[in-house]
């Protein structure tokens, strides 16, 4: 087995650095019990999730690729109703005895090919898109927190170029595509030159997944929402969201995984230089990490133990010594696993209610503007700032490398707060919206 470095410990936290080759061997050499135990022993709170994943992989009875593609493409069929699509989602659920990491990887490749062919049919050459980073969370946040990834990308834009993709809402009150439209940002036609102009001038551009021909219909939305509500019903049978044993319920309750929360955010169809994602469930992590290895991606995967697909400053746990976030950084050669608390990255621990999503989209837009302009302090700003800082660390070229990710995040948070308070963020986004709206008007 290749080298494995235990990072300097702080408290009783997971901090380990593994070679990519060792993880790939864990995923592919399912009968190598000695190697498996050597890796699992180091994964601490992730051990159970990875052991369960490997157990499913060993007992897999997968469909052939043609059947997989047929099921996946059926999700774009307008003739399919919500109940039919719900059954397809169950058939495509990772960990169901038939769908494993190879099937997830195949579906990501299938989606990438679909998008590439679609763009070619629109005379758009994906290879001409300028170098950028990308962020897209899984969604399905069990605490219904405010949308962080789009706002974080806008905040980070003066420092790192982000091409953000997003959707309308599935389980939240509204999605990033709806939020961007409320700001007055919409692309009537997908144009690589326009995306490049926005990336070069303002460091940010946004593409709704509907513009890339992703499977997305009202019936599919309803089916996915039904799957999420089933999961919430299971989780809240014995406790409410945010109760003292909420994290334990999330760790120990088996849930049906939504394939679109794994494949759609992480297929990385635009070929970013670095990709950051959040996952709402620990059980998703082995599949997402396998996709990073499969696509040779670099970036960061984040999970909050309260079922949040973002880096969180809020939790159901009040103990300042208790880590609430899991960070997984994938570099060219290594994968770094690290737990952290809000206090570790210089933030005050908040309550989950402090970062809850607004029902009213206009109120959400107003809140985001107050954060972008530096007018708001407190938990909601900290939540956005933390996730913007994550994008700087994921880039690997902005924040100097340190022994610990939480130390890098502290520096990145200081950088993000500085660009907010200097009004660079608000000025940059205002300039982007003005130029975008001018161009939109000219195209009408």
């Amino acid at each position: 087995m290749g080298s494995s470095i235990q990072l300097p410990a702080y408290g009783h936290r997971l901090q380990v650095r593994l070679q990519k080759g060792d993880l790939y061997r864990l995923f592919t050499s399912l009968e190598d019990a000695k190697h498996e135990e050597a890796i699992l022993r180091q994964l601490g709170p992730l051990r159970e999730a990875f052991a369960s994943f490997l157990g499913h992989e060993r007992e897999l009875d997968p469909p052939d690729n043609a059947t997989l593609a047929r099921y996946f493409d059926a999700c774009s069929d307008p003739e399919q109703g919500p109940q039919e699509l719900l059954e397809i989602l169950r058939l495509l659920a990772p960990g169901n005895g038939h769908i494993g990491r190879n099937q997830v990887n195949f579906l990501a490749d299938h989606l990438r090919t679909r998008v590439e062919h679609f763009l070619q049919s629109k005379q758009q050459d994906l290879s001409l898109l300028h170098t950028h980073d990308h962020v897209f969370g899984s969604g399905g946040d069990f605490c219904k927190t405010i949308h962080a990834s789009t706002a974080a990308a806008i905040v980070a834009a003066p420092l790192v170029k982000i091409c953000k993709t997003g959707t309308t809402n599935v389980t939240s009150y509204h999605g990033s595509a709806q939020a961007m439209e409320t700001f007055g940002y919409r692309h009537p036609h997908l144009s690589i030159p326009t995306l490049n102009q926005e990336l070069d001038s303002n460091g940010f551009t946004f593409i709704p997944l509907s513009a890339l021909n992703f499977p997305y219909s009202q019936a599919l939305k309803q089916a996915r929402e039904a799957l999420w509500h089933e999961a919430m019903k299971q989780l809240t049978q014995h406790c409410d969201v945010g109760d003292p044993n909420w994290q334990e319920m999330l760790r120990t309750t088996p849930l049906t995984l939504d394939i679109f929360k794994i494949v759609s955010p992480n297929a990385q169809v635009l070929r970013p230089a670095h990709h950051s994602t959040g996952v709402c469930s620990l059980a998703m992590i082995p599949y997402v990490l396998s996709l990073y290895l499969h696509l040779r991606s670099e970036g960061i995967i984040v999970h909050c133990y309260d079922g949040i697909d973002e880096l969180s400053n809020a939790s159901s746990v009040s103990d300042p010594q208790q880590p609430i976030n899991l960070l997984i950084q994938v570099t060219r050669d290594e994968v770094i696993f690290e737990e952290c608390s809000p206090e570790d990255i210089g933030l005050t621990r908040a309550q989950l209610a402090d970062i809850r999503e607004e029902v009213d989209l206009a109120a959400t837009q107003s809140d985001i503007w107050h954060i972008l302009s530096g007018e708001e302090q407190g938990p909601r700003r900290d939540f956005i700032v933390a996730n913007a800082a994550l994008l700087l660390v994921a880039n690997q070229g902005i924040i100097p490398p340190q022994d610990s990710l939480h130390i890098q995040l502290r520096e990145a948070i200081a950088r993000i707060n500085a660009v907010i308070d200097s009004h660079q963020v608000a000025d940059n986004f205002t300039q982007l919206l003005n130029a975008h709206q001018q161009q939109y008007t000219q195209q009408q």
Side-chain angles (χ1 to χ4, degrees), residues 4 10 19 26 81-82 91 133 237 240 243 248 291:
S4 168
Y10 63 109
Q19 294 295 308
L26 176 71
L91 291 171
D133 288 0
Q237 248 180 339
D240 292 329
D243 279 359
E248 181 65 18
L291 261 176

Side-chain angles (χ1 to χ4, degrees), residues 157-171:
L159 300 171
V160 58
K161 292 181 180 180
I162 304 286
C163 183
K164 177 75 176 73
T165 55
T167 68
T168 55
N169 60 315
V170 175
T171 56

Side-chain angles (χ1 to χ4, degrees), residues 119 126 128-137 149-150 152-154 156-157 160-166 176 180 185 187 190-192 194-200 202-209 211-212 264-265 268-276 391 395 432:
L119 291 178
L126 193 56
L128 298 179
L129 185 61
H130 291 177
T131 301
H132 64 278
D133 288 0
H134 178 250
V135 57
F136 191 164
S149 60
T150 300
I154 293 168
V160 58
K161 292 181 180 180
I162 304 286
C163 183
K164 177 75 176 73
T165 55
S176 55
M180 290 302 295
Y185 184 103
H187 279 298
L190 183 66
S191 164
I192 299 294
T194 300
L195 299 178
N196 285 337
Q197 182 180 347
E198 293 181 350
L199 282 171
D200 293 344
N202 303 102
F204 175 85
T205 193
F206 181 89
I207 309 173
L209 292 188
L212 296 172
S264 294
Q268 303 167 52
V269 296
L270 302 177
R271 280 56 168 182
H274 303 92
H275 169 65
S276 296
L391 300 179
N395 180 267
L432 169 70

